[in-house]
Structure formats: C-alpha cells, structure tokens
Amino acid sequence: MEILDILAALSDHFFLRVGEFGFKIWELITPANILILFGATILGIVFGALPGLTATLGVALLTTLTYGIDNNTAFIALLAIYVGAVYGGSYASILLNIPGTAAAAATAVDGYPLALRGEGGRALGMTTTASLIGTVFGLLCLILIAPMIIDLALKFTTFEKFWLAMFGITISGTLTSRDLVYKGWIAGLIGLWLACIGQEQLQTFPRYTQDLPELQGGIEVVPVLIGAFGIPQIIKVLRNRAALGKPAEFKRILPEFKTIARNLHHIFRSSGLGVFIGAIPGIGEDIAGWVSYGVAKNTSRHPETFGKGEVKAVVSTECANNACIGGALIPLLTLGIPGSPPAAMLLGALMLHDVTPGPMIEFENPGFIMGFTAILLLAACAMWISGMVLAKQVVKVLKIPPSLFMPIIGVLCVIGSYALGLQIINLYLMVPVGIVAYFLTEMEYPIAPLVIGVILGPMADENLRRGLMVANGDITEFFTRPWCIGLIVIIGLTIMTQIPAIRRAVERSWNRFAGGFVRPTDGNE
Amino acid sequence: MKRALGLTTAVFLAAAGSAFAADYPTRDITTAVVWGAGGGTDVCNRTIMAEMAKVLDININVINKTGGVAGANGMNYVKGQKADGYTLVGLSESNVTSAVQGGFDSKFTDVWHPFIVGGSPDVVSVIPSAGVNSFKDLIEKAKAGPGSIKACASGAGSIHHLNLLAVQDGTGAEFQFVPYKGSAPCQNAALAGEVSVVVTSVAEQQQLIKGKKFVPLAVLVADAFTIDGFGTIPSAFGDYPKLSEFLPIMQAIGFAIHNDASDNVKQTLGDAFTKAMQGDVMKKFADEKYYVLSGAHGDDAKAVFDSLESQFTWKLFELKAAKFSPAKFGIAKP
C-alpha cells in the first residue's frame, strides 16, 4: 500500500513536471527563436565539423555576441551551438578521418573504415540519431535525477579521477597494429610525454619548456589532434591519389530503426556513462568518448571487429559525448561548478546574463532549470532535424576530387590550429606533430593512442600527484577506496584481454560454453 | 610619392593629435578585456564602461583579447595602440605576474595608469562536517596539529593562495595546502570532502554559503561583510590583529590606459570614472556581485597595483614559477 502511495506521488510529480515543461517549450517557440535555434545549431555543426573549431570556442564566440540579448534567446543560441558542435565533430571523423573536435576523436577509429566501405552515409545517420538519444537521455537525467547523480559524481575525488584516466589510457593497448601488439602503447607513451610539457599544474614547475614562454602553458590538445590525424591523412590521400570514402551508397535519410533497436543496450550504456562522466567536474566530452569506446570494446563478444568499421563503436562514442552535455550541466546548474570545458564557457555566459548557478538557483531564479532543460530539448531536436537534412548533402563532399579537396582541408587545419587562442606556437606544434604522426602511421603505429595520451595524460598526472599530496604521500589510499577498487579491477581485466594467450583461452572457453548460440553475423551489427 | 604620403600622414596625425588634446573623447572608445567573456573582469568592465559611456556621451565597445601568459595578449595589444585614450585595457590583479612569467616586458605601473572598480574579498570557509564554528576555533585546531588540516585556495601563486599564506603568517597556524587548477575545482574538492578549508572569494562561494554547503568563518579584509539572505561574516582581523600587517590582498578589477596618455585624457576619464562609480548602477552591481567597491585611480590605484605586484611576483619567484626575477623589472620586495 505504501509503495503504491509513493508511486502515485512520484507520478503526480512527474506529470506536473511534464506539464510545466510543455508549457515552457510552448512559451519558447517564437519565429525569431526558431530561426536563432536552427542558425546556431547549423553554426555549431560547422564549428564541430571544421578541425580546430571546438564546442568551447563556439560557445565562447556566442557568449560575447549574445550579450545584451534577452536571456531565453541567448541561452537558445548558446545551447544550440554547444549541442551542434559536439555532434558536428563526427562529420569530419567519419568522412575524412580527421576529428573535427577532440570529443569526436574516438568516432574516427571506426567511423572512417565505415566510410571507406561506402557506409559513410549510414554511419552519419546512425550518429545523428545516437546523438539525439544521448542528448535527450542527458537532459532527462538533469531534470529527474540530478541530485542522485551529483552525489555519485562527488564521490569521484582525486583518487578515483586518477584511475578513471588510467582506464582511458589502457584503451591505448587495445588499439594495436597487426605486426606488434605494443605499438599502441608506444604511441600512447609519446602522447603522455607530450602531455608532460609545460608548467605542471600543481606546483607550477616547468617541464621540458626549453625556457620558451609559449610552452609554459603546456600543449594544447587541438593542434596535436589536427596534426596527428589531419596531416598524415592529407599526405596519404594526395600521395596515393586515392579517393576518400565512397560517396555513392547513401540511400536513405531516415535512420535504420532496426539497427537502433538492436543497439539499444549500447545506446543506454553509453548515454549513462556519458552523463556520469559529464557530471564529474572538469572532465568532458573527449574523455567520455574514449571511455565509452573502451567499455563498448571490452564488453563486446567480438572486440576484434573494433577499429574495422564497427557500428556499435560509432554509436557508443557519439551517444556518450552528447549525453555528456546533460551531465556537464548537472554540476554547473546545481553547484555552480562546470562539468566540462564548454560548460565552463557556459558558466561565463550565465554570469553575463545575471544568473549565478548554484544550490540557490531555484530560489533566485525560479523555474530556471526547467527552462534551461526545455531549451536543451529544443536544441537536441534542432540538431537531429538539421543533421538528417545535412548528412545526405555533406557526404557529397567526398565526390570532390581529393587533389582539390585535401589542400582545402590542409588550409583549414592550419587555420583551425591558429584559431585556438590565436597563438602561432600552435602552428609550430601542429606541423611537426603531423610529420612525426605521418611517419608513425607509415610504420603502422595506431595514432589514436597518441591523442589519448595528450587528452588523458594531464588528468592522470595531476590527480596522481595531488592524491599523494592529500594523503601525505600514503599510496594505500589509491587502492583501498571502494570506487578505486572497482576501477582497478576493470583496468586489470582490460589489460588481461590484451595479452593474446589469455584472450585465446577466454575465447576457447566462451565458445565451448556458448556453443552454437553465437550467430556469426553478430559482430557486424 | 611615399614621402609625400608620409608627410601628409604626419600632418594629419599632428592635426588629429591637437584636436584630441583639446577635445576628448570625440569618437568611440574600445576596451579590450584580457580575460574571457563572462568572467569577473569582463562583467565588471561591461558594467562600468556602460556607465562611463553615459557620462562621456560616446560609445564604448568592450571586446575580449584573451590568451598569452597571464593575459599578455590583451595587454600587449593595447600597449601597441596609440596612447590617445581611445583604447583601454580591462584587467585585474592577476595580470601583474605577466612580466616575470615572460609575457610582458615592463613593470605594471610603468606602462599603465590604472582605475580600480573593486573586487570580491576573500573568505575562509569550512565544510559543515569539519565541526568548526569560528575562525578562532579553526586557527586553534590548526595550531594544535600543524599541517593536519587540509586547505585549498585555487592554484599555487594565485591570489587565494597568497591570502592563505598571509593567514598562516599572521596567526602562526599551519595548514596543508592542496593546489587545484582554479577556484571551481577547489570548491568542488571541498564539497567532496577532500579538503576541509576553502579560501576563495565571497563572490565565488556565495551560492554554496547560502545553500549551507560551506560555513563561512571570516573575511580577510578589515571590515565585516554582509551577504543578503545569509547574514554577516566577521573580519578575521578582530581576533588576530596581526593579520593587518599581511592583509588585505584583495582583487583589484578595473581597467587602465597608457601611462603616457595626455593629462587631459587622464583627467577626463578619471572624472567620468568617479562619477560612474558614485551612481546607483555600480552600487547595485557591487551588491549583486558581492564586491567591495574601490574607485581608486591614478596614483592611488598605482600604489595598490605596486603592492599586489610585489607580493605576487616575489611569491611566484620563490615557488620557482617565475621565468625572470622581479628585480629585473625593478619590482621591490614586499
């Protein structure tokens, strides 16, 4: 009986909120707002798709431009560009193998092989719907269970963050080449070394800075990303006079609902992961993408299909990075602490519009979270509609002769590296990284681990040393906290599956156990 | 041709120069803020500029020129513009470290003629589970077990870190300082229970204070500070008068013009600034943003920046985080 009462109260609360929510959306839909919504979304997709222009930069740009505009309209523009840019990164990842943003780097690993097979359009259709589901999942979490998520996210202290970064780094080992398993680790270590350059974050001690003030701030991820993925790709395509992906076989706009339905468990797992990682302050979309990729690969019965054009991988990364948006807004709105770098820009924008997020936000600005979530839903829908219309057209860029197209991409890479902070040092960084990356790819080193190293290295480094500081040099703290133990077990399992002998043994016993139940096509869907 | 062009330009400039000297301002002013849009310095500059624009009866455009070591990009940009009072730089106390870190080539007040709007005072808070009710309580506890209480105050060498160090110097207590990349991660760590003492500004903490996540013990300025809807936070100087030797080290957010701008320009801007600061808009701004207003400009403001520069740069040098010795720029030891 009591349970029924609670359920009734909960559903009352739920329907009340849904009603409130619908009303808020109705209020927001004006012709001008719709125009701005779609304009900002498409601008966001362009920002995401162009290498070097990131979601953070897009939000920063609109923050200044929307100063002085009415609050609702300004937030529509800001959230639309945020959602659009996180989604748009997948375009360049899939079609060109040059991630448009760090968040979409993990998408390139399986997205580009799909494009090479002529399934680029299909992959884009899938990521569009996956991104929509991810974003909506994130906003549902924000509106319904934010307090619970925040409690969980706050359990992630310095110690847990270190192990989470380590988990991401161990993915390096699973991205290997055919001839030598350890090539992934070697590329990963180069990335970790690059991440060390600059003043370290805790005691500002300069490392490998060569007395150059430009290096003091450390290495930026974006130029490394552009150099590592972009330059080798441009050289390779031009040298081989090869076409990029096959554009012809894009047949349909609407998503394959069957494929979506088959991948539902991947979608929910990745969205959940995305929300959670987004909610941990300071960790953003890029890390969510890699961690989700790693989890998808680890839990797959056919990990060998990853890296060769696995739809599951693309869906998992794109769901996770978009779900991250809702996640990142949770600590932003409820504690005033941004969950990701673009959310930090968003905090600035909120302050500019006289909204100070924090525990008191509902007292000072009643109904604000509801309105903000309604805007996020509008942004997600605008992204999906724009994406569905754009995807079919965008694939046509592959018809442009590479000898014409790749030089343009080259120029965009240069502009993209420079656009970030307008620092010439980023160009000096992007070009050599690109050349080194070219030779590494020629020697069949996987390049993704290098980028993983640069993204996750600082997180691991900073949290390891801060953890030791907090614990007065006592290392046991890293091994005794419950969440730490869980993460260590997962990392241990990941590493074990990388050892060929163990993997073969597991596969043998799995086959014996599962017998004829495993369908041979299972790995490709 | 080239020479003729040069001559014409020179004549034009001379004419323009004299025109400006007699009558300033005659066209739009641009203020380049060295920190990002929506940050404290940006919001503050947008507010004061809007007010000054009314007084001066011209437009003031606020743009953001971010990046570089400690805001060096924006400062070097404005430094490279003519000293005619039409390009201002929006900045804060954090910019004084740019020179010793290799971003800027001069002592702060050698180049700039500053105007200080104000800043938010630093406050020492604890998390409720720490079981501490007063500043005195906290200091006594810290003295009983030196280094046993973990405190965060943004990054090493930040203004909040300097405030924490001043608290230690002025009271004899010793905390274990844990550095974070900024105030937000530091406050987050306190919420997660990783550290128990937080030293950041009232503006940064106000939501968490009002939400009862943090217990504010004392502000690190001479006067008590009242938060609407919460109450009054006492000054730390009451129980420990010796603190006044080391504090306050408070934010100085405002803007600056070239030192070699004409007296007329300095005078005109100074008058407009003073008038704007006395208006209701700025008082409301101070209330909403938890600021203490200053209003200092010219020599008074230079004295504030000189003191902040000396404390910041020598601390960074001591932490080995400075590229050059402050002595290189003629910055005196604190």
Side-chain angles (χ1 to χ4, degrees), chain A residues 25 27 38 83 98 165 181-182 200 207 225 235 281 291 344 361 455 518:
Chain A
I25 289 188
E27 223 178 45
F38 278 93
V83 174
I98 305 170
V181 189
Y182 304 109
E200 57 89 22
R207 297 191 289 206
L225 187 73
I235 300 178
V291 170
I361 191 165
I455 293 175
V518 184

Side-chain angles (χ1 to χ4, degrees), chain A residues 158 211 364 462 466 469-470, chain B residues 150 176 179 181 194 210:
Chain A
T158 293
D211 278 338
E364 292 177 357
E462 184 192 330
R466 187 187 298 117
M469 238 165 159
V470 170
Chain B
K150 295 182 187 94
Q176 189 197 346
K181 261 193 261 178
E194 199 167 292
K210 285 194 270 182

Side-chain angles (χ1 to χ4, degrees), chain A residues 157-471:
Chain A
T157 61
T158 293
F159 305 99
E160 287 83 9
K161 282 185 192 165
F162 165 72
W163 286 115
L164 186 67
M166 286 311 285
F167 171 67
I169 290 169
T170 52
I171 302 168
S172 302
T174 71
L175 302 163
T176 60
S177 73
R178 272 165 296 161
D179 56 338
L180 187 63
V181 189
Y182 304 109
K183 280 190 171 171
W185 283 113
I186 295 170
L189 285 173
I190 297 176
L192 284 178
W193 171 73
L194 276 174
C196 283
I197 296 174
Q199 274 182 353
E200 57 89 22
Q201 302 283 357
L202 298 186
Q203 283 145 324
T204 63
F205 184 81
R207 297 191 289 206
Y208 305 111
T209 53
Q210 314 299 323
D211 278 338
L212 292 170
E214 291 83 2
L215 283 180
Q216 284 207 340
I219 297 288
E220 293 275 4
V221 173
V222 170
V224 172
L225 187 73
I226 295 175
F229 278 100
I231 303 290
Q233 180 71 356
I234 292 168
I235 300 178
K236 250 191 313 194
V237 172
L238 289 181
R239 189 194 60 189
N240 299 341
R241 300 190 183 282
L244 288 152
K246 291 183 215 152
E249 295 170 39
F250 191 88
K251 294 188 190 87
R252 49 187 300 166
I253 308 177
L254 280 176
E256 302 162 55
F257 287 108
K258 268 190 194 160
T259 320
I260 299 274
R262 253 202 307 274
N263 283 307
L264 262 189
H265 60 293
H266 291 290
I267 290 175
F268 282 112
R269 186 200 53 231
S270 315
S271 300
L273 260 176
V275 170
F276 180 64
I277 290 174
I280 302 173
I283 309 177
E285 290 81 7
D286 43 356
I287 292 168
W290 281 117
V291 170
S292 178
Y293 184 91
V295 172
K297 190 170 181 179
N298 274 345
T299 54
S300 170
R301 261 181 268 160
H302 297 277
E304 70 281 356
T305 60
F306 279 67
K308 294 172 191 154
E310 174 61 79
V311 173
K312 277 180 209 145
V314 175
V315 169
S316 298
T317 56
E318 283 301 307
C319 260
N321 63 28
N322 271 77
C324 210
I325 298 173
L329 292 179
I330 293 174
L332 176 69
L333 295 180
T334 58
L335 296 175
I337 291 165
S340 71
M345 283 315 304
L346 214 51
L347 174 65
L350 289 175
M351 304 286 268
L352 211 54
H353 287 275
D354 269 336
V355 177
T356 311
M360 307 303 283
I361 191 165
E362 277 299 304
F363 295 96
E364 292 177 357
N365 303 281
F368 180 81
I369 293 187
M370 186 65 77
F372 212 65
T373 330
I375 293 173
L376 184 58
L377 180 65
L378 286 179
C381 295
M383 176 222 84
W384 190 75
I385 297 168
S386 315
M388 279 298 156
V389 176
L390 280 177
K392 195 172 184 178
Q393 309 305 324
V394 168
V395 177
K396 288 183 185 153
V397 303
L398 297 182
K399 285 186 180 161
I400 303 172
S403 53
L404 215 72
F405 191 43
M406 290 326 265
I408 297 175
I409 298 294
V411 172
L412 287 176
C413 285
V414 171
I415 295 175
S417 308
Y418 181 67
L420 191 93
L422 304 179
Q423 308 256 37
I424 199 81
I425 181 78
N426 286 341
L427 285 182
Y428 296 149
L429 179 69
M430 186 271 277
V431 175
V433 166
I435 293 169
V436 171
Y438 171 70
F439 285 108
L440 285 176
T441 50
E442 282 302 290
M443 292 185 280
E444 295 196 8
Y445 281 88
I447 214 64
L450 188 146
V451 174
I452 296 177
V454 175
I455 293 175
L456 292 168
M459 182 173 152
D461 168 39
E462 184 192 330
N463 285 303
L464 172 64
R465 285 178 311 107
R466 187 187 298 117
L468 289 172
M469 238 165 159
V470 170

Side-chain angles (χ1 to χ4, degrees), chain B residues 257-268:
Chain B
I257 54 169
H258 273 275
N259 225 350
D260 31 3
S262 71
D263 287 342
N264 176 36
V265 166
K266 288 179 184 167
Q267 180 78 37
T268 310

Side-chain angles (χ1 to χ4, degrees), chain A residues 60 63-64 67 153-159 161 199 201-206 211-214 216 281 334-338 345 347-349 351-352 354-361 364 421-423 458 462 466 468-472 481, chain B residues 36-39 42-43 46-47 62-69 73 101-103 147 150 155-156 176-181 184-185 187-188 191-195 203 206-208 210-213 284 288-290 316 319-323:
Chain A
T63 299
T64 338
Y67 176 71
L154 282 179
K155 294 221 164 60
F156 258 65
T157 61
T158 293
F159 305 99
K161 282 185 192 165
Q199 274 182 353
Q201 302 283 357
L202 298 186
Q203 283 145 324
T204 63
F205 184 81
D211 278 338
L212 292 170
E214 291 83 2
Q216 284 207 340
T334 58
L335 296 175
I337 291 165
M345 283 315 304
L347 174 65
M351 304 286 268
L352 211 54
D354 269 336
V355 177
T356 311
M360 307 303 283
I361 191 165
E364 292 177 357
L422 304 179
Q423 308 256 37
E462 184 192 330
R466 187 187 298 117
L468 289 172
M469 238 165 159
V470 170
N472 293 321
R481 301 169 71 95
Chain B
D42 179 66
V43 176
R46 284 176 197 273
T47 315
V62 179
I63 58 168
N64 301 84
K65 285 260 176 203
T66 57
V69 184
N73 279 1
Q101 290 183 313
K150 295 182 187 94
Q176 189 197 346
F177 169 64
V178 183
Y180 292 87
K181 261 193 261 178
Q187 291 177 182
N188 173 49
L191 287 172
E194 199 167 292
V195 294
Q206 52 99 357
Q207 282 269 326
L208 296 166
K210 285 194 270 182
K212 308 248 182 284
K213 307 270 184 196
K284 187 165 162 273
E288 279 174 0
K289 302 290 173 191
Y290 303 87
L316 286 182
L319 287 169
K320 295 195 172 45
K323 185 169 153 60

Side-chain angles (χ1 to χ4, degrees), chain B residues 16-333:
Chain B
S18 60
F20 291 151
D23 196 13
Y24 166 89
T26 56
R27 56 185 169 94
D28 287 5
I29 294 176
T30 301
T31 301
V33 176
V34 304
W35 304 112
T41 308
D42 179 66
V43 176
C44 176
N45 266 284
R46 284 176 197 273
T47 315
I48 186 75
M49 290 304 153
E51 289 308 292
M52 284 172 63
K54 282 183 209 158
V55 180
L56 294 169
D57 200 24
I58 39 98
N59 284 321
I60 304 183
N61 303 315
V62 179
I63 58 168
N64 301 84
K65 285 260 176 203
T66 57
V69 184
N73 279 1
M75 288 207 289
N76 284 320
Y77 166 75
V78 177
K79 195 186 168 194
Q81 302 292 311
K82 264 183 280 168
D84 56 8
Y86 285 99
T87 315
L88 315 183
V89 58
L91 35 68
S92 70
E93 78 293 336
S94 325
N95 297 110
V96 298
T97 63
S98 193
V100 292
Q101 290 183 313
F104 197 61
D105 58 8
S106 325
K107 179 171 153 53
F108 192 86
T109 50
D110 285 353
V111 178
W112 303 122
H113 177 91
F115 298 74
I116 303 174
V117 174
S120 188
D122 269 29
V123 55
V124 180
S125 295
V126 290
I127 51 175
S129 62
V132 175
N133 297 315
S134 69
F135 186 63
K136 197 166 183 180
D137 214 12
L138 176 70
I139 295 300
E140 293 311 316
K141 259 196 172 164
K143 278 184 178 167
S148 66
I149 300 178
K150 295 182 187 94
C152 71
S154 201
S158 69
I159 186 160
H160 309 306
H161 184 211
L162 290 184
N163 269 286
L164 175 69
L165 291 172
V167 167
Q168 298 192 142
D169 290 339
T171 61
E174 194 188 314
F175 295 95
Q176 189 197 346
F177 169 64
V178 183
Y180 292 87
K181 261 193 261 178
S183 297
C186 147
Q187 291 177 182
N188 173 49
L191 287 172
E194 199 167 292
V195 294
S196 38
V197 179
V198 188
V199 183
T200 49
S201 72
V202 175
E204 287 161 326
Q205 284 188 31
Q206 52 99 357
Q207 282 269 326
L208 296 166
I209 290 173
K210 285 194 270 182
K212 308 248 182 284
K213 307 270 184 196
F214 288 171
V215 183
L217 301 179
V219 285
L220 298 177
V221 287
D223 299 319
F225 192 91
T226 304
I227 297 182
D228 275 344
F230 175 78
T232 301
I233 309 169
S235 162
F237 297 11
D239 287 321
Y240 299 91
K242 202 176 162 227
L243 279 172
S244 60
E245 288 172 31
F246 302 92
L247 289 165
I249 305 173
M250 208 181 79
Q251 285 178 336
I253 296 174
F255 60 96
I257 54 169
H258 273 275
N259 225 350
D260 31 3
S262 71
D263 287 342
N264 176 36
V265 166
K266 288 179 184 167
Q267 180 78 37
T268 310
L269 277 180
D271 290 347
F273 175 67
T274 308
K275 203 162 174 202
M277 287 295 288
Q278 283 160 355
D280 287 339
V281 174
M282 291 314 290
K283 292 208 168 64
K284 187 165 162 273
F285 170 82
D287 279 348
E288 279 174 0
K289 302 290 173 191
Y290 303 87
Y291 267 38
V292 172
L293 292 179
S294 158
H297 62 94
D299 289 342
D300 295 343
K302 278 187 181 180
V304 173
F305 271 102
D306 278 340
S307 152
L308 284 165
E309 184 181 46
S310 145
Q311 302 197 51
F312 266 109
T313 53
W314 283 101
K315 183 78 229 162
L316 286 182
F317 189 61
E318 191 187 303
L319 287 169
K320 295 195 172 45
K323 185 169 153 60
F324 303 113
S325 161
K328 179 178 175 223
F329 303 97
I331 300 169
K333 275 198 175 180

